[in-house]
Amino acid sequence: MRPIRLDMSGFTVFRDQTTVDFTDADYFALVGPTGSGKSTVLDAICFALYGQVPRWGGVRGIGNALAPSAVEARVRLVFESAGDRYVATRVIRRDGRGNVKTSGAGLQLMPPGFDVSKLDTGMDLEDLGEVLAGVPAEMDAAVLHAVGLPYEQFTSCVVLPQGQFADFLHAKPATRQQILINLLGLQMYEQVQVKAAERGKTAEAKLTVVDQSLAALEDATEEAVEEAAARLARMRELTADVEAAMPGLRAARAAEEGARSTRDTLDSELGLLSSVRTPQGLSEATGAVLAARDAAAKAAEAVHEAEEAEEKVRGELTAAGDPGSLRLALDRHTEWERLTEQEAWFAGKVSVAEVECRDARTSADLAESEHTGAQQLLEQARQDYRDAQQRDRATALRGHLTAGDNCPVCEQTVTVVPEVPRESAVRLAEAAGAAAREAAEQATARWQQRDAVARNLESDLERKRGQYEHHLTRLAEVRKTVQGLPGVEAIKQQLAEFGRLQGQLEDATAGVRSARDTLRSAQTSVRAAEEQQRSAWRKFDAVRDGLARFVPPPADRDDLAAAWHTLVDWARGEHATRSDRRAEAEAAVRAAQQSTAGAHSAIVALFTAAGVQPPAASPVDAESTLIRAAAVTAERAEAAWQRTVERLEQAREQQEQRMTLVQESRVAKSLAGHLRANNFERWLLEEALDMLVDGASRILRELTGGQYELMHDKGEFYVIDHHDAGLRRGVRTLSGGETFQASLALALALSEQLAGMSTTAASLESIVLDEGFGTLDAATLDVVAATLENLAARGDRMVGLVTHVHALAERVPVRFEVHKDARTAYVERVGL
């Protein structure tokens, strides 16, 4: 794994957007004051990939990722691994309750040649390439596949944080062995063993299924195929014989159908002739028509007489005059009397209103005069108040005057100062003004009240005068209308006569309606009787038409009864003639049935002779049933033969498959048995550990001036102290500086030696050291610097340092200087 670009926002001390571009930084150093955020850059790399940081204490320390008072942190890492380029992104947020959770995570495989600078345009995750993981739950597996190392081993071999630099040196043999297995891809051999065992089990399971199939195909033999072929030939012969015998059966069936048709025809004719009978009530129907017609003629005469009587009364009523005009004239007389009586009442109301109106207007005029006088007194009081104000102002000046001084108003010399009045003129004027204002307001209120009363009475007088004038006009109009009209008594006599004639007319009209109802009832009876007679003739014609093929005798259309008697007698004679012919037809049917039964029995015998159960068939569909039964038998025999041939072929294929599975099972079991002992994997681990220790010993000798050399025994690490007669010491007995040198030697050896042996994506393409270079003396520090420079100079590894040592940082070509102000930390690249 080789970092290319790191973007941070809201992450711990990096509150603002910060980008660290590792492009072409094969050998770099992160430098800066203590607490500026150097180690935070490595924390961001680990967090982007694995969602946790070593010094946070696991995934529960995720709250440490947020900058103070920030609600969201974003980290994005672009890195290369095994020739592919990926981008890992993680976003965490603080919810309303203060809980910090991962809200988004993703891993994309970027397309070849993707320009990393496009990330500055704020591209969405979907635009960065193929999505390998889209939610936090998918990240662990996707990152492990891309990087090749789990979190614990990544922080032991690639990014070595503070406090964990010596983990690989002090790790237990089993843990160290697992790290090497992942680095070298040796788990592949374990996977091969598992796959081989699985293939062996799968082959055994398939073999069991094949044996079961072979047991089910035990009857699939060459003899069975021959037997099926012989039965197929017999069934085909049966089909041919049945088809050859069918013409005889068809001829017998046709003769039987002909005889049965002749018999059925005679039965139908006999039934039709026997149904001819004279209908009941034939004579009554003929007489009903005559009676109904006579009753209808009498009803028509009664209607004519009632209409004449009604017309006579209607003429008398017309001569009696218009009742509407008479009633209108009577109403005019009544209205004249009423208006005459109301004339004196209206005149009295107008006289009273005129008197009340004059009194009210006089009272209003008097109140208006009082109002005018009160207003004049009020105006005089106001003028007195203004004069009093001037006198009070002059009096106020007297208190400040002294004889011999100049007056502040006229600037003349004051010879004598007037005395000051004891009581203020303004207060006296205010009291007089208040009394005048009250009197004016009361006078105004009385005037307004009396004026309103006068106005209301004047309005009421005008309204009553208008009503009186309207009454007089209406009285004159009615007087002109009443002139020339008959008297009231004469009008009442004429209305009484009109009422009497109106009653007679209503009685005559009722008589006309009754006569017409009787006529309609008689006409309905005529139509019903005539329809009954026509129905009888239609029935006769229908019966006679049904016998037309027998040529019945002609009918008398004037006498319905005679026509029916002639037809019934003829039908009886025809029925007797056909009864004799029906007995002969029945005998012919029985003979034809026997012939058909014989032909059918002969065909059934063909089925029995062929060893086939004959089908149960009704006489109606015997022909089709027998042919279909023979064809179905042949088809089933052919299907059975075909199925037997296919089963024999399946048995042969199963035998071949069984041989293949037996061989595959043997090979898989043998391979799984060889790999189960782990001898090959153990040998590879020992070789890898030997190479690792040899490379680390060489680097450690250079770092310690030849004092120490590294070795291993049964998975444990030891150092050989050549300054102490080659004493072997456990690595846990080393001092802090010695432990750093041994751990650095192992880390560099891992980067140099094992990367070339790895067969998986877990190639150590970079190493970043965050540990105490400040504990080294000048000579050792020079050796460490030279060693790191040689490792970086090879060009196949990225080497990074986090250091406070100025002398070491000056020798690194690319430096990322980390600074921090009151708000945020930021990174500046210095060097190439």
Side-chain angles (χ1 to χ4, degrees):
M1 194 286 295
R2 181 186 182 101
I4 302 299
R5 170 177 170 142
L6 176 66
D7 295 293
M8 300 172 288
S9 176
F11 186 75
T12 68
V13 297
F14 292 97
R15 180 188 298 273
D16 296 338
Q17 176 69 34
T18 304
T19 299
V20 183
D21 188 357
F22 295 103
T23 305
D24 300 328
D26 294 331
Y27 186 25
F28 67 89
L30 287 164
V31 298
T34 301
S36 60
K38 300 185 298 300
S39 298
T40 302
V41 175
L42 304 186
D43 293 344
I45 294 175
C46 292
F47 182 74
L49 293 173
Y50 299 100
Q52 54 183 313
V53 174
R55 57 178 177 164
W56 291 354
V59 294
R60 294 186 179 180
I62 191 174
N64 298 316
L66 280 175
S69 73
V71 297
E72 180 182 88
R74 292 178 175 268
V75 179
R76 179 170 59 194
L77 174 66
V78 180
F79 65 94
E80 289 184 353
S81 181
D84 293 322
R85 181 168 291 188
Y86 304 86
V87 56
T89 306
R90 286 188 189 267
V91 181
I92 60 174
R93 290 191 178 93
R94 179 184 287 112
D95 59 19
R97 298 181 178 180
N99 299 321
V100 179
K101 297 180 181 179
T102 300
S103 62
L107 180 69
Q108 281 83 22
L109 175 62
M110 305 178 75
F114 184 86
D115 187 1
V116 179
S117 63
K118 291 183 179 180
L119 296 176
D120 296 328
T121 61
M123 299 177 65
D124 294 334
L125 294 179
E126 292 77 4
D127 300 329
L128 299 180
E130 178 185 355
V131 177
L132 304 179
V135 295
E138 299 174 351
M139 284 292 287
D140 290 345
V143 170
L144 179 59
H145 182 270
V147 178
L149 292 173
Y151 168 72
E152 293 78 5
Q153 297 169 16
F154 180 82
T155 55
S156 298
C157 302
V158 179
V159 175
L160 284 74
Q162 294 180 6
Q164 299 185 27
F165 193 71
D167 281 356
F168 187 80
L169 178 67
H170 294 155
K172 295 180 180 180
T175 302
R176 192 182 300 115
Q177 177 177 335
Q178 187 60 44
I179 293 175
L180 292 176
I181 288 174
N182 287 337
L183 288 173
L184 297 176
L186 300 184
Q187 65 271 25
M188 175 185 65
Y189 300 104
E190 180 180 355
Q191 295 172 0
V192 170
Q193 187 272 330
V194 172
K195 289 290 186 182
E198 290 177 354
R199 285 195 177 185
K201 292 179 181 179
T202 302
E204 288 290 339
K206 291 181 179 179
L207 190 59
T208 301
V209 175
V210 170
D211 288 340
Q212 293 175 354
S213 299
L214 287 174
L217 298 172
E218 186 177 2
D219 58 341
T221 61
E222 294 287 350
E223 292 77 6
V225 172
E226 293 177 359
E227 291 179 2
R231 177 171 176 77
L232 175 60
R234 290 197 302 273
M235 295 305 102
R236 287 176 176 173
E237 291 177 0
L238 172 63
T239 302
D241 293 340
V242 170
E243 291 177 353
M246 277 300 155
L249 178 61
R250 294 193 191 99
R253 290 278 302 168
E256 180 183 353
E257 290 295 329
R260 185 179 289 107
S261 176
T262 301
R263 182 197 62 187
D264 294 342
T265 301
L266 290 172
D267 287 341
S268 175
E269 293 176 353
L270 289 172
L272 183 61
L273 291 170
S274 63
S275 65
V276 179
R277 295 183 179 85
T278 302
Q280 297 180 357
L282 187 61
S283 301
E284 291 78 357
T286 304
V289 173
L290 297 176
R293 287 175 179 173
D294 184 58
K298 293 179 180 180
E301 182 64 24
V303 168
H304 178 69
E305 293 177 355
E307 288 176 347
E308 288 182 349
E310 180 190 22
E311 187 63 27
K312 179 181 178 181
V313 174
R314 193 179 300 280
E316 295 176 355
L317 186 63
T318 302
D322 183 13
S325 299
L326 294 174
R327 293 190 185 93
L328 182 60
L330 186 60
D331 292 341
R332 290 288 184 270
H333 279 289
T334 302
E335 186 177 5
W336 162 254
E337 294 175 356
R338 180 179 58 80
L339 292 175
T340 302
E341 293 175 355
Q342 291 178 350
E343 180 181 3
W345 181 83
F346 275 109
K349 296 289 286 185
V350 170
S351 298
V352 172
E354 288 176 347
V355 173
E356 291 178 349
C357 184
R358 284 195 299 271
D359 294 343
R361 177 50 58 192
T362 301
S363 178
D365 292 342
L366 180 59
E368 184 178 7
S369 299
E370 294 176 355
H371 166 71
T372 303
Q375 289 293 330
Q376 293 174 354
L377 292 176
L378 177 61
E379 184 62 30
Q380 182 62 41
R382 288 173 178 169
Q383 182 61 40
D384 294 343
Y385 177 74
R386 288 193 290 270
D387 295 342
Q389 283 181 327
Q390 292 179 358
R391 289 195 297 272
D392 273 2
R393 285 195 291 269
T395 300
L397 292 175
R398 295 177 187 177
H400 303 285
L401 293 178
T402 303
D405 293 339
N406 291 332
C407 177
V409 177
C410 64
E411 296 183 354
Q412 298 295 324
T413 302
V414 179
T415 57
V416 179
V417 178
E419 294 182 359
V420 178
R422 295 181 179 179
E423 188 173 358
S424 174
V426 172
R427 285 197 296 272
L428 295 176
E430 285 179 351
R437 186 164 48 254
E438 182 178 0
E441 289 176 354
Q442 292 177 355
T444 301
R446 286 193 299 272
W447 170 63
Q448 291 176 347
Q449 181 180 6
R450 293 176 183 179
D451 185 68
V453 171
R455 290 177 183 275
N456 290 336
L457 291 175
E458 289 173 352
S459 176
D460 184 61
L461 174 62
E462 291 299 323
R463 179 176 58 80
K464 290 180 179 179
R465 285 175 176 173
Q467 291 177 349
Y468 181 56
E469 291 175 358
H470 176 73
H471 180 78
L472 293 176
T473 301
R474 180 60 182 165
L475 181 61
E477 292 175 354
V478 174
R479 181 185 296 113
K480 185 183 297 186
T481 304
V482 172
Q483 293 176 356
L485 292 176
V488 174
E489 292 299 328
I491 293 173
K492 290 181 178 179
Q493 290 178 359
Q494 290 180 3
L495 287 174
E497 179 63 19
F498 187 85
R500 185 184 64 79
L501 294 175
Q502 184 68 34
Q504 291 181 357
L505 179 61
E506 291 177 356
D507 294 340
T509 301
V512 171
R513 285 198 299 269
S514 177
R516 288 175 178 173
D517 291 342
T518 302
L519 177 60
R520 282 194 294 270
S521 177
Q523 290 173 346
T524 300
S525 298
V526 171
R527 288 193 295 271
E530 290 176 348
E531 180 60 28
Q532 184 178 5
Q533 189 178 43
R534 285 192 297 271
S535 176
W537 274 111
R538 285 195 296 271
K539 184 176 181 181
F540 173 81
D541 292 339
V543 172
R544 191 176 185 282
D545 292 343
L547 302 173
R549 64 179 182 275
F550 305 137
V551 190
D556 184 3
R557 304 302 297 183
D558 296 330
D559 191 349
L560 179 62
W564 268 108
H565 288 308
T566 300
L567 183 63
V568 169
D569 292 341
W570 172 82
R572 289 173 182 171
E574 291 293 324
H575 185 276
T577 301
R578 282 170 174 74
S579 296
D580 297 335
R581 292 168 55 190
R582 202 273 178 192
E584 297 174 358
E586 182 64 29
V589 169
R590 287 195 294 269
Q593 288 176 344
Q594 292 177 358
S595 298
T596 302
H600 183 269
S601 298
I603 296 175
V604 169
L606 294 176
F607 282 90
T608 304
V612 178
Q613 179 67 31
S618 64
V620 177
D621 58 352
E623 179 181 348
S624 60
T625 301
L626 292 172
I627 294 176
R628 185 168 57 253
V632 169
T633 302
E635 291 175 358
R636 289 177 178 174
E638 185 175 3
W641 170 76
Q642 186 66 34
R643 187 166 54 254
T644 304
V645 172
E646 292 175 354
R647 285 167 56 81
L648 180 60
E649 185 64 27
Q650 290 176 3
R652 291 171 179 171
E653 293 176 356
Q654 293 289 343
Q655 287 289 353
E656 294 177 359
Q657 185 177 359
R658 187 180 189 284
M659 294 175 62
T660 302
L661 289 174
V662 168
Q663 183 178 2
E664 182 177 345
S665 176
R666 290 174 181 173
V667 172
K669 287 181 178 180
S670 177
L671 179 59
H674 288 305
L675 294 178
R676 188 177 295 113
N678 296 328
N679 293 331
F680 182 65
E681 181 178 313
R682 187 179 300 110
W683 175 80
L684 287 176
L685 284 174
E686 290 177 355
E687 287 295 317
L689 193 57
D690 289 341
M691 292 179 61
L692 175 63
V693 171
D694 288 344
S697 294
R698 175 180 54 80
I699 297 173
L700 185 58
R701 284 195 300 269
E702 295 177 0
L703 294 176
T704 61
Q707 179 179 357
Y708 292 118
E709 184 177 301
L710 194 64
M711 65 166 293
H712 73 94
D713 184 12
K714 296 180 181 180
E716 292 288 350
F717 283 154
Y718 298 92
V719 292
I720 305 298
D721 189 351
H722 293 289
H723 291 184
D724 194 4
L727 176 65
R728 188 173 78 168
R729 298 166 51 190
V731 293
R732 297 186 181 274
T733 65
L734 297 176
S735 64
E738 294 170 340
T739 299
F740 173 78
Q741 292 173 333
S743 299
L744 178 60
L746 278 173
L748 297 179
L750 277 172
S751 181
E752 287 183 348
Q753 303 294 332
L754 297 185
M757 298 176 61
S758 177
T759 60
T760 68
S763 56
L764 302 182
E765 300 172 272
S766 60
I767 181 171
V768 183
L769 308 175
D770 184 7
E771 190 66 29
F773 295 102
T775 62
L776 304 178
D777 55 44
T780 304
L781 183 63
D782 185 68
V783 175
V784 169
T787 303
L788 295 175
E789 290 170 354
N790 291 334
L791 179 62
R794 296 173 54 180
D796 57 352
R797 300 290 182 273
M798 171 186 279
V799 179
L801 308 175
V802 178
T803 181
H804 300 83
V805 181
H806 181 73
L808 180 59
E810 288 294 331
R811 299 181 60 169
V812 179
V814 177
R815 294 185 302 279
F816 294 97
E817 295 183 354
V818 184
H819 303 279
K820 182 180 179 184
D821 54 25
R823 171 175 175 78
T824 185
Y826 52 92
V827 181
E828 180 181 4
R829 178 168 172 164
V830 180
L832 299 178

